[in-house]
Amino acid sequence: MKELVGERESSFKLIGCAQGWSPDSYYEAIRQLIEIGYDYIAIGGVAKAPNRVILPILDRIREMVIRSKVKLHLLGVARLELLET
């Protein structure tokens, strides 16, 4: 899909989606998406997860995301207390 969008100069933004079961698995999924060329990544599987599950994921990916200037979206998560993190 990434190749097709690039070839056709599409007018929409393709967003990669990372799924995982641990902070390390999310890290690896996001690393691979960045390597492919995604600069906007959604994190799935966390909508109903408590903050104690989400925060370690964000801590694990923080440096990589900052370094690569990737934009993130946590699918289904709308908690003001996580906004600053």
Side-chain angles (χ1 to χ4, degrees):
M1 185 68 181
K2 181 83 172 130
E3 289 178 21
L4 286 174
V5 169
E7 289 171 3
R8 296 178 183 189
E9 299 179 15
S10 298
S11 61
F12 63 89
K13 183 72 170 176
L14 189 63
I15 301 173
C17 187
Q19 295 281 348
W21 54 88
S22 68
D24 286 339
S25 64
Y26 276 98
Y27 180 93
E28 183 59 23
I30 292 168
R31 185 195 66 72
Q32 290 179 21
L33 289 167
I34 291 170
E35 189 175 290
I36 291 169
Y38 285 92
D39 58 2
Y40 199 161
I41 298 172
I43 296 177
V46 293
K48 293 184 178 182
N51 290 353
R52 65 178 163 66
V53 170
I54 296 172
L55 287 170
I57 295 167
L58 296 177
D59 286 340
R60 179 68 175 99
I61 66 173
R62 176 179 283 119
E63 290 302 319
M64 175 177 49
V65 168
I66 291 170
R67 186 174 51 251
S68 62
K69 299 180 181 171
V70 167
K71 295 178 183 173
L72 287 181
H73 180 87
L74 276 71
L75 294 169
V77 177
R79 298 182 204 149
L80 292 178
E81 65 270 18
L82 290 175
L83 190 57
E84 187 174 326
T85 301

